[in-house]
Amino acid sequence: MPEGPSLFILKEETACFVGQGIVEAGGNTTAIDTSRLVGQTILSLRTWGKHFLIELPDMALRIHFLLFGTYRVNERRDKPPRLFLRTADGDELNFYACSVREIDRNLDSQYDWSADVMSPTWNPARARKKLRAEPDMLACDALLNQDIFSGVGNIIKNEVLFRIRVHPASKIGALPAPKLRALVEEAHKYSFEFLEWKKQYVLKQHWLAHAKTTCPRCQIPYKKAHLGRSNRRSFFCERCQKRYE
DNA sequence: TGGAATGTTGGAAC
DNA sequence: CGTTCCAACATTCC
């Protein structure tokens, strides 16, 4: 579920909830008092990267799906939801195994929307500026940094680095300017390809690097290692992906 | 079937 | 006090 494009799909699927009043709410979350949601109108449903934001008159909720979170719209799983909302029209939104938090209602003061690779206000120049300020950061960590590439997850990270032929342990400060530019451009471009493939249920078959064993370009075995401060799985080709350091 | 994984947080340890 | 490390959370798949 988790990466930014998947949240984008969730937002599309729940657009009909905006403007509706909540007539019933509950779930096994202990983070919020769900009875406070009853009677509130859903003012907006937004996303910032992997955050799903529910804006209400009295509060704002932040849903984070972490690694295993799921949701159902007008359907239920065979498990108790962490949070559910029902509207007067009979629409129902169920969230499972996710983190629920009440956050400050002023979303604009907390979120840099231009950092979200899925946002219409995504700002590549600003991302490059943030990257230039972190020359010692590794490319694999930079892509997972939500302040720079909000919404990018481990799949997108591996696919982007393979496509731009950059080794995950490359130092940001060592990247030639065109490579830095390519990194930022591809993070945005691939996220939208991910979105389309995910909608068509063909995402996995388009993976070129993530969870793969052989480089499709030169046919040698991929290296697999947990790299960087993030210590997440990296799949990379030592022949095709240059290490800048 | 035990281990690993599309992720983040909070607190302990240093 | 800042930085780093690690457990915890929770689900599914191989």
Side-chain angles (χ1 to χ4, degrees):
Chain A
M1 167 62 205
E3 301 194 32
S6 300
L7 275 278
F8 193 92
I9 292 169
L10 165 59
K11 186 170 58 177
E12 287 186 340
E13 290 177 347
T14 54
C16 65
F17 285 77
V18 177
Q20 293 210 55
I22 298 169
V23 297
E24 193 183 347
N28 60 22
T29 176
T30 55
I32 60 164
D33 174 7
T34 55
S35 68
R36 290 177 56 220
L37 308 181
V38 176
Q40 305 248 354
T41 297
I42 298 173
L43 299 179
S44 76
L45 295 172
R46 310 176 67 177
T47 55
W48 180 80
K50 303 165 191 170
H51 296 205
F52 184 64
L53 304 165
I54 303 174
E55 205 176 1
L56 304 170
D58 290 352
M59 71 196 85
L61 300 182
R62 190 205 77 174
I63 311 288
H64 200 299
F65 293 92
L66 300 162
L67 216 43
F68 312 120
T70 54
Y71 67 91
R72 292 289 186 276
V73 181
N74 293 328
E75 282 177 22
R76 295 178 192 181
R77 298 193 62 190
D78 184 25
K79 307 200 167 225
R82 175 67 37 84
L83 174 70
F84 69 82
L85 307 175
R86 288 188 196 121
T87 69
D89 292 356
D91 284 318
E92 181 174 300
L93 191 44
N94 295 301
F95 299 102
Y96 305 87
C98 57
S99 158
V100 178
R101 256 162 65 165
E102 179 174 349
I103 59 170
D104 191 306
R105 268 178 54 241
N106 187 347
L107 301 181
D108 290 336
S109 69
Q110 303 164 72
Y111 287 105
D112 172 9
W113 308 104
S114 78
D116 181 353
V117 294
M118 302 306 293
S119 168
T121 63
W122 159 248
N123 188 325
R126 207 168 291 172
R128 290 196 299 272
K129 189 173 180 179
K130 291 172 186 171
L131 289 169
R132 284 193 299 267
E134 300 281 358
D136 293 330
M137 190 180 273
L138 302 187
C140 57
D141 288 330
L143 278 163
L144 292 176
N145 186 319
Q146 300 298 292
D147 293 328
I148 306 174
F149 296 106
S150 173
V152 169
N154 209 35
I155 297 171
I156 297 175
K157 175 198 82 178
N158 282 317
E159 294 298 315
V160 165
L161 291 171
F162 175 74
R163 283 165 166 76
I164 66 170
R165 296 182 162 224
V166 168
H167 189 291
S170 296
K171 285 174 85 172
I172 290 298
L175 293 179
K179 278 295 182 194
L180 189 76
R181 183 173 283 270
L183 176 71
V184 172
E185 292 305 314
E186 193 65 28
H188 180 252
K189 182 167 167 259
Y190 181 75
S191 293
F192 279 89
E193 291 179 1
F194 182 124
L195 171 65
E196 291 310 316
W197 289 327
K198 178 98 183 175
K199 283 181 175 177
Q200 306 299 323
Y201 304 101
V202 293
L203 177 64
K204 270 192 197 184
Q205 58 189 263
H206 285 91
W207 287 350
L208 299 178
H210 185 77
K212 309 298 275 189
T213 55
T214 308
C215 173
R217 190 176 278 131
C218 74
Q219 310 301 327
I220 71 168
Y222 269 126
K223 284 286 181 212
K224 173 183 162 183
H226 289 73
L227 301 178
R229 304 178 68 115
S230 49
N231 204 34
R232 304 288 302 281
R233 285 198 302 176
S234 284
F235 299 87
F236 54 98
C237 175
E238 289 183 307
R239 186 179 295 169
C240 295
Q241 291 172 256
K242 180 170 176 182
R243 182 166 181 167
Y244 299 88
E245 47 194 346

